[in-house]
Amino acid sequence: MSFLYPSFLFGLLAVSVPVAIHLFNFRRTRRVFFTNVALLKTVQTETKSFRRLKHYLILLFRSLFVICLVLAFAQPFLPSKSKLGLSRKGLTSLYLDNSYSMQNELNEKRYLDIATSKLDQLLGLFRNATSLQLVTNDFSSQEQTVGTADALRDRVTTVRFAHTPRTLPDVYRRQLNLLASHNPTGPNQLFWFSDFQKSTTGDLSRLKIDTTNRLFLVPLETQPTKNVFVDSVWLSTPFIREMQNNTLNVRVRNSGDESVRNLPIKLFIDQTQVSTASVTLPGKGAATATLNFNVTQKGFRRGRITFEDYPITFDNEYYFVIQASPSIRVLHLFDQKSEANYVENVYGNDSLFVRRSFNAQNVDVGQLKTADLVVLEGVNQVNGTLRSELERFVRQGGSLVIIPPTTPDAATWSPFFAGLGVGGLQTQAPPLPPQQPLSAPNRQNPFFRDIFEQTNQQGIENLPNAVPVWQWRVVGERLLTLRNGTPYLTQSRTGGSTAGQVYIFASPLNSEYGNVAQHALFVPIMYKIAAQSVRPQRTAYSFDDNTIEVPVSNASPNTVYKLMRDKLEIIPVQRVNGQQLLMELPKSNQLNDGQQLASGYYELQLNGKTEKLLAFNHGNRESQMEFYKPDELRRIFANQPNVAVFDSIEDDDFVEELRQQNLGTNLWKYFVIAALVFLLAEVAVIRFMKG
């Protein structure tokens, strides 16, 4: 037999009190005289022996009452046969998984409610303990302290779903920090109440539990279920314009085993439903819905995808932001302009473009930071700072159009071409060959998809003529070629997927070098080049992203941006890298009390002015309906004997099963009953034994 609180055994010294009362009777006796004492002498002898027996019985029952009462306070118990066992003397840390996947239901009860009920029952086993800790995915400051079972019960009632999922290795490190500060030598016990979702638990095979601690895993009885969530959203075109048809693609996925038929997908723009479509999803399958819409105003528009899918509801809405008719910023640098100013006229007749023209030898290279497209027309030399900044501009995603001068110098241009990943430059010395017609462009090329009307015409009549002044080794795609196979307009991307496009023309736009600039193809080609120079809009961000990149303009390194949503104000960890703002969103434990990051729209503000509108959604890791079963967890922790895994236990049996297997048999109730029995026995002796 062992004792939970052996210090109470010092109370056994209280047995000396009734013994002292019995041995030392300080009551003074009185002498009584009788004339005949023969009869009284016989009575006294009989009464004295009877009274001695009565006193011994009273002493015995009083002593046993005190002993049983002291032992009851010391809480004796018979240790369990399990080697794992629980040490109710150590610290007990309880982890309650409150991630969004705990919205799932079992017998019409949410996983979180079931786990809360089991945890509340477990606290009954530690009703007198004072070293209890409750950990949730919030990782809040109040979780750093220990408390009583009643204090933890009060906290459990306030637990809400957290937007930040935590891996179990992170949870264990969190618990170890508390153990190290309160009871580093152990033994301690840890409980994990979770659905053990595979996508969020982390790598359990590499998790090693300290042998001085005991870990009890309490998995929920998870069952296969359907759950539909938005996998991705993208526009069919790089940008959208008002009063025109636009297409939004929504890819939805079903992470459950049950199929979903004819699920309505609704599209809202600024709180107005503008389109709908339906999809059918097999188990573990995906489908793409195409939604058509138009907008009537420029600027940022709030978009929302919504559908109905139960019981998991946190991912039934997806927020995104689109910018209608964003201005395309064109920087025109020249030495030799064409006689009709073709470039300026093309980008000066549409409000979609913001064009600025500068002489290449006098331009401030800082202008490149705010440009989407740079057009070099007739520039004789590209060297020094201009060359390095143009190369940087392309590496960072900008688009560059190169229109050659009338007499290009190969020695000057070859190093610049090499920096752009284009080699083999050869210039054409005068006299120039005669003009040659262009070959018909490939209408199946995505570049020309929106340029030509969908007709059955096999060719294009009246193609323009041109005479090239240079040739180069094509590393990308030939958009236009002469009939002799010489490239006229090429498109290439160098430096990885994030780099911009480089478009190279073979001849100047002057009429003596051909009539391409006067042909009907020229304007739509230049428009398409400008359209593709716009970086694809990032419609939404995820809270799971460690670092978020947001394009900004004219930002200094000391600039401080804020994220605002209703009354919530967040100043994230941030830095400016070129034209990109890098932000780290705070986790749940880094927010102030009462603050919470919820899916929706956030304003990016600078000095009180809204610079951009951003949409944030919860990551889809918790939408994956795959969970560890108890047998899988046992195999993972098979080599760690201090880890126990419970099967799916009904609520009414959980505590009893845990107590029998790991806590042993409590005896304090029996000692309380015995103490009451001895107390009643003493009363009976005093009342009924009269001599």
Side-chain angles (χ1 to χ4, degrees):
M1 184 174 66
S2 301
F3 297 92
L4 184 61
Y5 302 108
S7 58
F8 278 100
L9 295 178
F10 287 105
L12 293 175
L13 297 176
V15 177
S16 61
V17 175
V19 173
I21 294 175
H22 178 77
L23 295 178
F24 303 100
N25 187 355
F26 298 104
R27 186 176 59 184
R28 181 175 298 177
T29 59
R30 293 185 303 167
R31 182 176 296 180
V32 180
F33 297 94
F34 293 92
T35 57
N36 189 352
V37 297
L39 180 61
L40 292 178
K41 188 174 183 181
T42 304
V43 173
Q44 281 181 344
T45 302
E46 182 179 354
T47 301
K48 185 176 181 180
S49 60
F50 185 82
R51 184 178 300 169
R52 184 178 295 113
L53 174 62
K54 179 179 180 180
H55 287 179
Y56 281 135
L57 290 175
I58 292 175
L59 174 63
L60 175 64
F61 291 144
R62 283 180 180 176
S63 300
L64 291 175
F65 167 75
V66 173
I67 292 173
C68 290
L69 190 62
V70 171
L71 293 178
F73 276 100
Q75 293 200 24
F77 65 94
L78 296 176
S80 67
K81 297 180 180 179
S82 171
K83 296 181 180 180
L84 190 62
L86 278 180
S87 173
R88 288 177 287 189
K89 306 174 186 178
L91 187 144
T92 302
S93 181
L94 308 167
Y95 166 62
L96 177 61
D97 183 3
N98 61 333
S99 60
Y100 280 115
S101 65
M102 297 287 282
Q103 286 183 356
N104 213 335
E105 293 182 356
L106 175 65
N107 299 328
E108 298 183 353
K109 292 183 65 176
R110 296 187 307 180
Y111 286 177
L112 181 62
D113 297 333
I114 296 174
T116 300
S117 175
K118 289 186 177 183
L119 190 149
D120 183 76
Q121 295 175 31
L122 179 64
L123 290 175
L125 297 178
F126 299 94
R127 62 176 61 88
N128 297 321
T130 59
S131 298
L132 300 173
Q133 177 204 23
L134 177 64
V135 177
T136 66
N137 290 334
D138 296 326
F139 279 17
S140 61
S141 58
Q142 58 183 336
E143 297 176 359
Q144 294 293 325
T145 59
V146 296
T148 63
D150 291 336
L152 262 63
R153 280 195 176 96
D154 294 337
R155 277 204 53 216
V156 167
T157 60
T158 64
V159 173
R160 298 294 181 266
F161 291 105
H163 79 276
T164 304
R166 307 288 184 178
T167 65
L168 292 180
D170 289 342
V171 171
Y172 181 59
R173 283 192 292 269
R174 179 82 170 181
Q175 293 176 310
L176 282 184
N177 290 336
L178 181 77
L179 299 179
S181 59
H182 288 79
N183 191 23
T185 59
N188 305 295
Q189 48 270 337
L190 298 83
F191 289 85
W192 290 353
F193 293 84
S194 173
D195 57 5
F196 293 93
Q197 188 178 23
K198 292 184 178 180
S199 58
T200 60
T201 53
D203 189 359
L204 298 184
S205 62
R206 304 180 65 178
L207 180 60
K208 303 301 180 184
I209 306 301
D210 193 300
T211 54
T212 61
N213 301 317
R214 298 165 176 83
L215 174 62
F216 298 87
L217 308 183
V218 188
L220 278 298
E221 185 181 354
T222 56
Q223 296 180 349
T225 183
K226 64 179 178 63
N227 182 45
V228 179
F229 62 94
V230 175
D231 182 75
S232 55
V233 172
W234 71 95
L235 294 166
S236 297
T237 56
F239 62 93
I240 61 176
R241 302 189 69 175
E242 73 275 12
M243 305 308 295
Q244 293 186 6
N245 290 330
N246 303 280
T247 302
L248 185 76
N249 302 288
V250 181
R251 186 166 182 81
V252 291
R253 189 176 296 276
N254 178 15
S255 64
D257 295 329
E258 302 178 19
S259 62
V260 179
R261 298 183 60 83
N262 299 324
L263 177 68
I265 307 293
K266 300 177 182 179
L267 170 62
F268 289 81
I269 301 293
D270 292 336
Q271 304 302 321
T272 302
Q273 182 176 337
V274 298
S275 185
T276 185
S278 62
V279 294
T280 297
L281 300 164
K284 306 295 184 182
T288 301
T290 301
L291 302 166
N292 298 318
F293 69 98
N294 60 59
V295 295
T296 58
Q297 296 178 344
K298 295 183 178 181
F300 292 105
R301 305 265 71 86
R302 290 173 165 85
R304 178 167 56 96
I305 300 295
T306 181
F307 49 84
E308 294 184 359
D309 175 51
Y310 296 98
I312 305 296
T313 60
F314 79 93
D315 52 7
N316 287 2
E317 289 186 321
Y318 186 90
Y319 299 90
F320 63 94
V321 173
I322 54 177
Q323 184 178 7
S325 295
S327 298
I328 302 177
R329 299 163 296 183
V330 180
L331 180 62
H332 178 213
L333 304 180
F334 60 87
D335 275 345
Q336 303 171 5
K337 282 187 181 182
S338 58
E339 64 270 9
N341 293 332
Y342 294 112
V343 174
E344 294 182 2
N345 291 334
V346 165
Y347 295 127
N349 294 328
D350 195 317
S351 60
L352 179 63
F353 305 108
V354 177
R355 178 194 51 79
R356 292 167 297 168
S357 296
F358 300 95
N359 187 290
Q361 307 307 322
N362 300 321
V363 66
D364 178 8
V365 293
Q367 299 286 343
L368 273 68
K369 295 182 180 180
T370 58
D372 298 308
L373 173 64
V374 174
V375 180
L376 291 180
E377 183 185 8
V379 177
N380 293 314
Q381 293 183 352
V382 180
N383 48 31
T385 304
L386 179 60
R387 171 186 163 183
S388 61
E389 290 299 321
L390 283 172
E391 292 175 353
R392 183 198 303 271
F393 170 75
V394 174
R395 287 196 303 269
Q396 293 180 349
S399 294
L400 175 64
V401 175
I402 302 176
I403 302 173
T406 56
T407 56
D409 182 9
T412 301
W413 280 92
S414 291
F416 180 53
F417 270 37
L420 299 175
V422 180
L425 178 64
Q426 297 179 1
T427 59
Q428 182 70 46
L432 298 176
Q435 297 183 8
Q436 299 183 42
L438 270 65
S439 298
N442 180 10
R443 298 176 63 179
Q444 302 302 318
N445 190 317
F447 182 88
F448 294 103
R449 183 176 301 161
D450 303 326
I451 293 180
F452 301 117
E453 295 181 354
Q454 300 297 323
T455 66
N456 294 325
Q457 182 182 359
Q458 297 299 319
I460 301 177
E461 299 179 355
N462 300 322
L463 287 168
N465 300 320
V467 53
V469 298
W470 60 18
Q471 296 182 23
W472 61 97
R473 185 174 63 251
V474 180
V475 294
E477 189 170 5
R478 298 179 182 226
L479 301 179
L480 295 174
T481 61
L482 300 175
R483 287 188 179 176
N484 62 1
T486 303
Y488 180 79
L489 173 62
T490 62
Q491 176 189 24
S492 62
R493 182 192 297 272
T494 58
S497 59
T498 59
Q501 304 280 358
V502 177
Y503 301 88
I504 303 176
F505 283 85
S507 63
L509 301 181
N510 295 332
S511 58
E512 59 266 29
Y513 295 92
N515 61 342
V516 174
Q518 295 89 15
H519 195 269
L521 275 176
F522 181 70
V523 172
I525 285 177
M526 297 301 288
Y527 273 28
K528 189 60 179 285
I529 290 175
Q532 291 192 340
S533 70
V534 178
R535 280 79 161 179
Q537 294 187 28
R538 178 75 181 267
T539 57
Y541 298 86
S542 171
F543 289 126
D544 289 352
D545 295 336
N546 293 328
T547 303
I548 294 173
E549 295 186 10
V550 180
V552 293
S553 301
N554 301 323
S556 63
N558 297 325
T559 300
V560 178
Y561 287 89
K562 298 180 181 179
L563 285 175
M564 302 288 295
R565 184 176 187 269
D566 298 331
K567 296 182 179 180
L568 177 64
E569 177 181 316
I570 300 174
I571 302 179
V573 178
Q574 58 189 273
R575 63 185 177 90
V576 176
N577 183 14
Q579 298 300 303
Q580 296 291 321
L581 172 63
L582 307 180
M583 295 188 299
E584 297 179 11
L585 292 181
K587 303 299 182 183
S588 298
N589 59 308
Q590 296 171 328
L591 297 172
N592 297 328
D593 293 339
Q595 291 184 335
Q596 184 178 7
L597 291 178
S599 297
Y601 311 104
Y602 290 76
E603 296 179 357
L604 183 66
Q605 292 188 355
L606 176 62
N607 299 325
K609 179 182 177 182
T610 300
E611 298 290 328
K612 285 183 178 294
L613 184 65
L614 307 178
F616 287 91
N617 298 281
H618 298 290
N620 55 26
R621 286 191 301 159
E622 291 194 73
S623 300
Q624 308 290 337
M625 295 293 105
E626 293 186 7
F627 310 92
Y628 284 110
K629 299 296 183 182
D631 290 340
E632 294 179 283
L633 293 173
R634 288 191 182 93
R635 286 194 294 268
I636 293 174
F637 294 99
N639 296 325
Q640 301 189 59
N642 58 327
V643 178
V645 180
F646 283 90
D647 290 310
S648 180
I649 302 172
E650 296 295 333
D651 289 351
D652 295 338
D653 300 332
F654 170 69
V655 174
E656 183 63 22
E657 183 77 14
L658 178 67
R659 185 189 64 78
Q660 292 179 1
Q661 292 183 8
N662 301 282
L663 289 177
T665 303
N666 289 320
L667 302 178
W668 65 271
K669 295 180 182 179
Y670 302 106
F671 282 96
V672 170
I673 295 174
L676 294 176
V677 170
F678 292 133
L679 181 62
L680 293 175
E682 178 189 353
V683 173
V685 169
I686 295 175
R687 183 177 180 85
F688 297 108
M689 291 187 65
K690 296 181 179 180

